[in-house]
Amino acid sequence: MVFSHGLGGTKNAYSHLLGSLSSHGVVVIAPEHRDGSAPLSCIHEKRGSVSRHVEYRSISHRQSPEVEKARDEQLKIRLWELGLVHEALLKIDRGEPLTNLLSEESADASGHLAMFASSLDVHTAGSISWAGHSFGAASIVQFVKSVFYHKAQSAVSSHQRLFDPSTSSQVAHQITPSSAVYLLDLWCLPLLSKHTRWLHDLPLPSYSSEGPGGRNITAILSEAFFKWGNNLIELKRTISEDPSLGTPVNKSHPAPYVFYPVSSAHLSQSDFGVLFPWLTKRALKAQDPARTLRLNTRAILEVMRRNGIEVANTSSVDMEEATTDGHIPQGQLGQDLSILKGDGSVPGWIALDLASSGHVDEAANERTSENADPMDAVVQGEMTKTSSG
């Protein structure tokens, strides 16, 4: 799995979630983007070059031509970096030496990477999963669609390709209708630029004729993003079989998995809530951030299982399965059958429907969204930048 961080995030900001996935056998790569979305990124000295820093770029969260241009510039960097990550994974699996490691760590790093030689399932088409949080989720949507539709011709003269791989490239071979995507609090504004709108209106690869439809698309929202009505509508369009329609529906394909844990904040998807539970509860009104991350992990792992990806079973402790006497048996493992049911069997875990008829709370959400500040949810992401100094 390749995971893209959000605004104010870093490669280390999701260690709880990604470490949990890794503990079940998923090899996770979390790059740090150098597009000005991290609090501070260091580009280290290499072969005599001067070390430099990429500082955070403060860009408005409200749509305008200037904001669209700035976000397109950031996405262009992010997509290029995701392509580089894919190239590096192929080299690591082939046992080829990497030449861009820090000189003082290159020997140790090369040794650590050598253990992955001939061990990564990265050459099989569709074998890599793609995931991200917030701006990172938008980056993943833009990346997989840019690669999958690289041969398609736009009828819009103003359309720009932010990432344009060649047909013979390995990444073009990798992204297929079976490529799974996991989107945590997808922030849709970066996908709405007029220069990339043509691509936005095309469905995710899994909706092609040979794809599984929504079965390998998972979107998990925080309650903050669920209550952001306009973004919720755009998210549903983005993960539907026809994003160009005003009303998102899935008539010809299975629907994607869409959930939100109650009493969760945007930063509940990262380590922030686990590290600062008191602040998360008081300032963001979020409860039990560790459980939110466990629920997210359970859902991602179960979708992987149902799509034929071999991962370790979820423990009965994480599944919160108690016996008749209320005791949770320690150490027992099993397939997580309840997490994707959406029938209320997992407390505080709400399933959503693309047509806004899957849960009663959606109607109330649509009525109150106009009174909420739609930027509150995204601005939370900048708190990590502030807290990092």
Side-chain angles (χ1 to χ4, degrees):
M1 173 185 285
V2 177
F3 185 92
S4 176
H5 67 75
L7 289 177
T10 68
K11 61 186 177 183
N12 300 315
Y14 303 87
S15 61
H16 191 295
L17 173 68
L18 303 186
S20 297
L21 293 172
S22 297
S23 72
H24 289 77
V26 183
V27 177
V28 184
I29 298 87
E32 185 165 292
H33 294 295
R34 296 169 174 175
D35 62 327
S37 62
L40 182 70
S41 293
C42 298
I43 300 179
H44 298 283
E45 182 177 347
K46 178 67 175 68
R47 293 181 179 176
S49 63
V50 178
S51 300
R52 62 187 180 89
H53 300 93
V54 178
E55 297 188 357
Y56 186 84
R57 291 183 63 187
S58 182
I59 302 170
S60 172
H61 303 305
R62 299 188 182 277
Q63 194 167 13
S64 70
E66 294 75 21
V67 169
E68 289 183 358
K69 182 176 183 295
R71 296 301 182 194
D72 284 349
E73 291 172 352
Q74 288 186 303
L75 278 172
K76 192 170 185 178
I77 295 172
R78 283 169 160 258
L79 304 193
W80 172 69
E81 290 170 335
L82 292 173
L84 293 179
V85 168
H86 178 258
E87 290 180 10
L89 282 173
L90 298 181
K91 290 181 179 180
I92 292 170
D93 185 69
R94 291 194 293 256
E96 298 178 12
L98 299 182
T99 60
N100 60 338
L101 302 174
L102 287 176
S103 58
E104 65 269 23
E105 300 176 0
S106 58
D108 291 339
S110 296
H112 294 322
L113 294 176
M115 69 178 179
F116 292 108
S118 303
S119 300
L120 302 175
D121 186 9
V122 293
H123 299 283
T124 305
S127 60
I128 298 177
S129 299
W130 305 88
H133 174 229
S134 194
F135 194 17
S139 302
I140 291 302
V141 169
Q142 199 78 340
F143 181 75
V144 297
K145 290 170 74 170
S146 294
V147 174
F148 188 72
Y149 293 110
H150 70 280
K151 292 189 294 185
Q153 297 296 318
S154 172
V156 182
S157 59
S158 62
H159 177 72
Q160 296 178 3
R161 294 184 183 273
L162 303 181
F163 185 69
D164 192 15
S166 66
T167 302
S168 60
S169 66
Q170 289 296 316
V171 72
H173 169 74
Q174 174 59 225
I175 302 295
T176 72
S178 61
S179 296
V181 296
Y182 302 91
L183 310 172
L184 307 181
D185 270 351
L186 171 61
W187 181 36
C188 296
L189 183 144
L191 303 176
L192 302 179
S193 167
K194 67 177 181 180
H195 300 296
T196 60
R197 189 68 193 220
W198 173 79
L199 186 64
H200 166 275
D201 289 346
L202 295 174
L204 285 162
S206 62
Y207 287 117
S208 64
S209 57
E210 63 272 29
R215 291 198 181 102
N216 65 355
I217 301 172
T218 306
I220 302 175
L221 292 75
S222 62
E223 186 167 358
F225 262 53
F226 166 71
K227 290 182 176 179
W228 183 2
N230 292 335
N231 193 80
L232 178 62
I233 293 172
E234 287 298 338
L235 176 143
K236 290 183 175 184
R237 288 196 186 110
T238 299
I239 62 176
S240 70
E241 64 184 31
D242 189 352
S244 67
L245 297 179
T247 302
V249 294
N250 269 40
K251 294 182 178 180
S252 305
H253 301 85
Y257 298 104
V258 190
F259 297 94
Y260 84 87
V262 299
S263 300
S264 57
H266 188 50
L267 292 179
S268 298
Q269 310 280 23
S270 70
D271 293 343
F272 188 90
V274 179
L275 293 173
F276 308 103
W278 182 86
L279 178 60
T280 303
K281 182 176 181 179
R282 290 294 299 271
L284 306 179
K285 312 302 180 185
Q287 304 291 329
D288 202 348
R291 182 174 186 265
T292 295
L293 290 170
R294 288 196 299 272
L295 292 173
N296 291 359
T297 303
R298 289 174 58 185
I300 293 171
L301 290 171
E302 186 60 21
V303 173
M304 286 184 166
R305 294 186 191 102
R306 298 192 183 189
N307 282 280
I309 299 175
E310 185 177 356
V311 295
N313 285 338
T314 302
S315 72
S316 56
V317 175
D318 285 344
M319 290 190 291
E320 305 170 347
E321 290 188 341
T323 60
T324 54
D325 61 0
H327 174 69
I328 296 179
Q330 299 290 321
Q332 296 187 16
L333 300 175
Q335 190 177 32
D336 199 344
L337 300 178
S338 60
I339 193 67
L340 299 183
K341 284 184 177 180
D343 59 356
S345 56
V346 178
W349 181 247
I350 309 300
L352 304 182
D353 186 272
L354 285 185
S356 298
S357 60
H359 189 266
V360 66
D361 285 349
E362 292 195 65
N365 173 53
E366 291 170 1
R367 287 196 300 270
T368 60
S369 62
E370 293 182 359
N371 298 323
D373 183 352
M375 292 302 113
D376 285 348
V378 172
V379 170
Q380 289 175 15
E382 294 197 343
M383 290 179 63
T384 56
K385 181 246 180 185
T386 304
S387 62
S388 300

